[in-house]
Amino acid sequence: MLSSAQAPRLLRSPAAATTTAAALTIKCLHTSPILTPAATSPSPSQILTTRKSLLSRQTSAVDLAKSFLQRLRRHEPQLSSFLYVSPDDVVLKQAEELDTKIKNNEEVGPLAGVLVGVKDNICTYDMPSTAGSRILENYRPPFDATAVRKLRDSGAIVVGKTNLDEFGMGSTTEGSAYQVTANPWDLSRVPGGSSGGSAAAVSARQCMVALGSDTGGSVRQPASFCGVVGLKPTYGRVSRYGLVAYASSLDVIGCFGSSVADAGILLHSISGFDNFDATSSKQEVPDYASQFVALEYLESKPLKGLRVGVIHETLENGVDSEVISSVRGAVSHLEELGCTVSEVSLPSFSLGLPAYYILASSESSSNLSRYDGVRFGNQVFGEELNSLYGDSRAEGLGSEVKMRILMGTYALSAGYYDAYYKRAQQVRTIIRNSFKDALEKNDILISPAAPSVAYKIGEKKNDPLAMYAGDIMTVNVNLAGLPALVLPCGFDGGSAGLPVGFQMIGAAFDEEKLLKIGHIFEQTLPGYSFVPPLVADEWTG
């Protein structure tokens, strides 16, 4: 484990040489002490490695797809990452079509041959999209979400739909109406949530990358628990068209990868303005891959001059000591890379959690009113309209969803609107302004991604307040609409050896800077392999 007393060193590894031609134009002298390649394992980009192998004919898309499908099906009974897996013949047919294009020297997309898992609250026209709820059981949308359409247009193959807490309301996947996903690092523990299925699938190498959704941390917390990279983009960077709505002013589609490069390339493929989503931004989408500089081209202090603010309130009581130690180790590593680190106080930080749950519940009360068995959702017969509505919702919706709908309806009611919803919106403005001020003085802000490592399945299921408290590190970022990147930085000291992730927060639409910093951090982190023991013996990627 990294600690403030054990300063990391810069490394060199041939595996880190995968990069773009644009990035190779940067040539600087590397002068820091070097460990042998065997002592380090920076995560290569599966996407770039796959593309290189396919175009050079070193492997075929069919062989690649078969290997992932075999691993997926071998471990799925233990993990339950997927609610639906595309039939092998469908996946292999798409792979064969890609091989034919390559054979004929036809142009292929940037995600050619990349197997992607898609969270089951993101619409896919050829697969069920249940949002983890019985009320949408067997529902097949007649269209793809914009993000999914862009993936397919880029050559990606959607391998299946991943498990989640019902409608994204939960932090463990225990809220799914269908199954509970296990953490690949320890099958007795949760993978986080609500995008736990996507995080577990990427961690166990059941797919290369995956899409999730993040309303209050649903990409970042499971990324930390499962030892993968999780990227929450700025609100509006990615179209929400086709994302089953939970809280519309907070929801974003995010990315999972086993490396920063993969998360960044995936984000680039799905970003951009969409006429079907009025909240999507027309802000230009940079070429994130141009920021991914190979290790041997880095200066000894590649992040010199970068200002990093560590959020004081996130390293206080209530956060496990092992998490604090790992995050401080990550901060020490950033200092070694040339960053100037200071402590930042955000007094409004603790206000984010109650404000978030009032706002998210209020918006869910409105959004989920459409699932009544008439407009949307499976219908339960009733002799009159009210009983049809009531019975359809009673049988189709889970207890957590019902509770949040009731909380939101109460907060929006005539007698309590000013006391709860209006005040929560005022707190949101305070939080947004506090982040704005802090980011004017710092390039990025740092915090843990979660107060603890993954906990046992069932440990917090009957204590919703304790589970809600686990979102304290992430909800403020959604309230402010900012981008954040979570990547693994070490392990806890327990016998399970569970991964710890830390969170980097940037200014609006500054994902490019986060990815650049994260890529350098990841390549130079000493000696860690974030491949879970479940697949370590069979994974050669």
Side-chain angles (χ1 to χ4, degrees), residues 328-398:
R328 291 198 183 281
V331 171
S332 295
H333 186 36
L334 289 171
E335 287 183 303
E336 287 289 316
L337 295 172
C339 295
T340 301
V341 177
S342 61
E343 198 169 81
V344 173
S345 180
L346 299 180
S348 61
F349 197 86
S350 62
L351 303 177
L353 196 65
Y356 165 80
Y357 274 101
I358 289 171
L359 295 174
S361 297
S362 298
E363 292 186 28
S364 72
S365 171
S366 175
N367 279 325
L368 270 63
S369 64
R370 70 193 70 177
Y371 302 106
D372 53 19
V374 176
R375 290 172 291 177
F376 291 95
N378 296 322
Q379 186 177 106
V380 175
F381 176 77
E383 293 185 357
E384 49 92 29
L385 191 60
N386 284 338
S387 64
L388 185 153
Y389 284 164
D391 291 346
S392 296
R393 291 168 71 80
E395 294 191 20
L397 300 176

Side-chain angles (χ1 to χ4, degrees), residues 308-330:
V308 174
V310 181
I311 303 176
H312 169 76
E313 287 77 9
T314 65
L315 297 174
E316 296 184 320
N317 294 336
V319 183
D320 287 0
S321 60
E322 299 287 356
V323 171
I324 293 176
S325 177
S326 290
V327 172
R328 291 198 183 281

Side-chain angles (χ1 to χ4, degrees), residues 4-329:
S4 57
Q6 178 184 356
R9 294 179 289 170
L10 293 178
L11 314 174
R12 177 178 299 182
S13 170
T18 304
T19 188
T20 62
L24 292 176
T25 58
I26 303 175
K27 295 186 178 181
C28 305
L29 184 63
H30 183 96
T31 58
S32 290
I34 297 170
L35 296 181
T36 62
T40 179
S41 53
S43 300
S45 167
Q46 289 188 65
I47 293 176
L48 295 178
T49 301
T50 295
R51 184 174 181 82
K52 181 180 178 181
S53 298
L54 291 176
L55 295 182
S56 64
R57 317 290 172 88
Q58 292 177 333
T59 189
S60 69
V62 168
D63 288 342
L64 193 67
K66 284 180 178 178
S67 68
F68 272 91
L69 286 171
Q70 289 170 359
R71 189 181 305 106
L72 188 159
R73 297 191 183 280
R74 181 162 57 249
H75 296 298
E76 187 55 18
Q78 298 169 284
L79 293 175
S80 299
S81 302
F82 286 85
L83 290 175
Y84 177 88
V85 178
S86 187
D88 287 14
D89 60 334
V90 174
V91 173
L92 295 178
K93 181 180 178 182
Q94 295 178 64
E96 287 172 2
E97 292 172 353
L98 174 59
D99 284 334
T100 300
K101 284 185 177 181
I102 293 173
K103 183 179 179 180
N104 295 334
N105 294 317
E106 296 179 33
E107 186 176 349
V108 295
L111 298 183
V114 173
L115 272 69
V116 182
V118 175
K119 188 176 179 180
D120 202 37
N121 63 345
I122 302 173
C123 289
T124 45
Y125 80 90
D126 55 348
M127 302 178 191
S129 300
T130 70
S133 179
R134 290 291 180 192
I135 204 164
L136 287 175
E137 189 171 11
N138 299 319
Y139 172 64
R140 285 182 178 246
F143 65 96
D144 274 337
T146 297
V148 174
R149 175 182 57 78
K150 289 187 173 187
L151 287 181
R152 297 192 203 265
D153 290 346
S154 297
I157 300 172
V158 178
V159 72
K161 304 300 290 292
T162 57
N163 192 30
L164 70 154
D165 293 287
E166 186 177 7
F167 285 104
M169 299 182 190
S171 303
T172 63
T173 78
E174 293 171 293
S176 171
Y178 301 99
Q179 61 193 30
V180 177
T181 299
N183 191 314
W185 291 86
D186 180 345
L187 298 178
S188 69
R189 296 177 184 267
V190 300
S194 63
S195 306
S198 290
V202 172
S203 178
R205 275 50 176 182
Q206 293 179 296
C207 55
M208 294 187 198
V209 291
L211 294 184
S213 65
D214 193 311
T215 305
S218 290
V219 164
R220 290 160 289 153
Q221 182 249 31
S224 178
F225 281 10
C226 292
V228 297
V229 176
L231 176 58
K232 175 220 172 286
T234 307
Y235 184 83
R237 173 66 87 187
V238 178
S239 170
R240 292 185 297 111
Y241 179 71
L243 172 64
V244 176
Y246 164 18
S248 300
S249 73
L250 301 166
D251 296 338
V252 296
I253 292 177
C255 306
F256 290 98
S258 57
S259 68
V260 173
D262 283 349
I265 294 168
L266 183 63
L267 176 64
H268 185 268
S269 294
I270 64 175
S271 295
F273 176 71
D274 179 19
N275 285 320
F276 292 116
D277 177 10
T279 65
S280 64
S281 173
K282 294 182 179 180
Q283 188 98 4
E284 182 182 355
V285 180
D287 178 12
Y288 300 127
S290 67
Q291 299 299 313
F292 303 144
V293 182
L295 192 61
E296 61 266 32
Y297 288 88
L298 294 177
E299 296 178 340
S300 60
K301 300 285 186 181
L303 297 180
K304 184 177 181 181
L306 192 84
R307 300 166 301 168
V308 174
V310 181
I311 303 176
H312 169 76
E313 287 77 9
T314 65
L315 297 174
E316 296 184 320
N317 294 336
V319 183
D320 287 0
S321 60
E322 299 287 356
V323 171
I324 293 176
S325 177
S326 290
V327 172
R328 291 198 183 281

